[in-house]
Amino acid sequence: MSQLWQARFFTTVNHLRDLPSTQVPEIAFAGRSNAGKSTAINILCNQKKLAFASKTPGRTQHINYFSIGGAHVGQHRKDETKVEEIRAMLVDLPGYGYAEVSGSAKLHWQELLGDYVRRREQLAALVMIIDARRPFTELDIQMVEWFAPTGKPLHCILSKADKLNRNEATNALRQARTFLGSYVDADGKPFPFTAQLFSALKRIGLDEANDRILELAGLNDEELDPTDAPDVPSDEGDQAPA
């Protein structure tokens, strides 16, 4: 069982001044509204409703933090000897690009997202969820442009890959890797940007994404004790679009 299955809600914030003072690595998830971000987080953490997937895309306006490890592990087992420190944070950033959101809300989100990915010292890596059928929209590119100067790793999850045939999926992945590979540092060395295909419905790329996120968070690959994990959800197709 993956350590991501330990994820529990930690806090939600709407302003950078309210970000937690924890010093553990943060893995942030960003994506266009309806790209499947909440669904991806939930399936990776093996929980149905950890990340909020609104029926109205664009309604989730806050930065939501989920902790990996921490006191909740001991509380879950009712054994104080099992209490441990938080080891990492998963950060669910507001979805962007939904047309019906007001202009003031869009401006607030833009400032919130841009400032967070550019300035948050605890941010270890960015995971972008992008619909494999519509890769790298203008807003996706803006996010990459904000983040690239940090030189930190970016992992692109091309979601809904099950909706593509084999050739289409292969082309989408190649195009994504070519685009990401165009970002280089002052010495011409490519930034640590990676990409993969993913489908929550068909569980395509689930292990690859899990392993990459754990690596980026600096977590070892030891498996989670089953008694520390939350209740396992069914595999029914009830994942709402992010």
Side-chain angles (χ1 to χ4, degrees):
M1 296 183 185
S2 171
Q3 292 181 76
L4 297 182
W5 291 18
Q6 288 185 354
R8 292 290 193 282
F9 175 76
F10 183 78
T11 191
T12 184
V13 301
N14 196 31
H15 299 281
L16 292 179
R17 63 176 178 269
D18 298 324
L19 291 175
S21 59
T22 50
Q23 297 301 311
V24 297
E26 296 177 5
I27 306 299
F29 291 77
R32 188 178 176 87
S33 298
N34 212 28
K37 176 168 59 68
S38 296
T39 301
I41 294 172
N42 288 337
I43 200 74
L44 284 163
C45 296
N46 201 43
Q47 300 179 52
K48 287 184 178 180
K49 298 179 180 179
L50 181 67
F52 178 69
S54 173
K55 292 182 180 180
T56 304
R59 288 288 300 278
T60 306
Q61 303 180 20
H62 299 76
I63 295 178
N64 294 307
Y65 272 75
F66 310 110
S67 60
I68 304 296
H72 63 257
V73 176
Q75 293 167 355
H76 176 72
R77 297 192 61 170
K78 297 182 180 180
D79 180 355
E80 293 183 359
T81 63
K82 293 295 181 179
V83 173
E84 61 183 51
E85 296 296 324
I86 292 173
R87 305 180 66 193
M89 292 283 195
L90 304 182
V91 184
D92 184 11
L93 300 176
Y96 51 82
Y98 190 58
E100 294 185 13
V101 175
S102 69
S104 60
K106 286 181 180 178
L107 181 59
H108 173 69
W109 295 358
Q110 184 179 45
E111 293 174 347
L112 189 67
L113 289 169
D115 287 348
Y116 174 83
V117 300
R118 287 179 294 191
R119 302 177 184 176
R120 180 67 167 172
E121 292 183 2
Q122 294 91 324
L123 179 60
L126 181 67
V127 177
M128 289 188 65
I129 312 298
I130 295 178
D131 191 326
R133 301 167 297 175
R134 305 175 185 86
F136 294 103
T137 65
E138 181 179 346
L139 291 174
D140 295 323
I141 294 172
Q142 178 65 74
M143 179 62 71
V144 177
E145 292 284 341
W146 279 335
F147 182 72
T150 69
K152 297 175 182 177
L154 181 154
H155 186 59
C156 177
I157 289 179
L158 299 175
S159 66
K160 307 182 183 182
D162 59 286
K163 299 183 183 298
L164 302 177
N165 62 37
R166 180 174 296 181
N167 286 337
E168 290 171 337
T170 299
N171 287 334
L173 181 60
R174 180 172 59 248
Q175 290 172 9
R177 288 175 171 169
T178 298
F179 170 73
L180 294 173
S182 68
Y183 286 86
V184 297
D185 62 20
D187 297 323
K189 181 179 179 182
F191 284 117
F193 293 172
T194 52
Q196 67 161 104
L197 295 169
F198 185 88
S199 167
L201 181 63
K202 300 294 185 181
R203 294 180 174 266
I204 297 170
L206 185 58
D207 289 342
E208 180 180 355
N210 173 81
D211 293 348
R212 181 61 175 155
I213 291 167
L214 290 177
E215 177 187 6
L216 293 172
L219 300 174
N220 59 39
D221 60 359
E222 71 179 43
E223 293 188 347
L224 173 67
D225 185 329
T227 57
D228 283 339
D231 293 335
V232 178
S234 67
D235 287 341
E236 296 177 2
D238 59 353
Q239 302 283 354

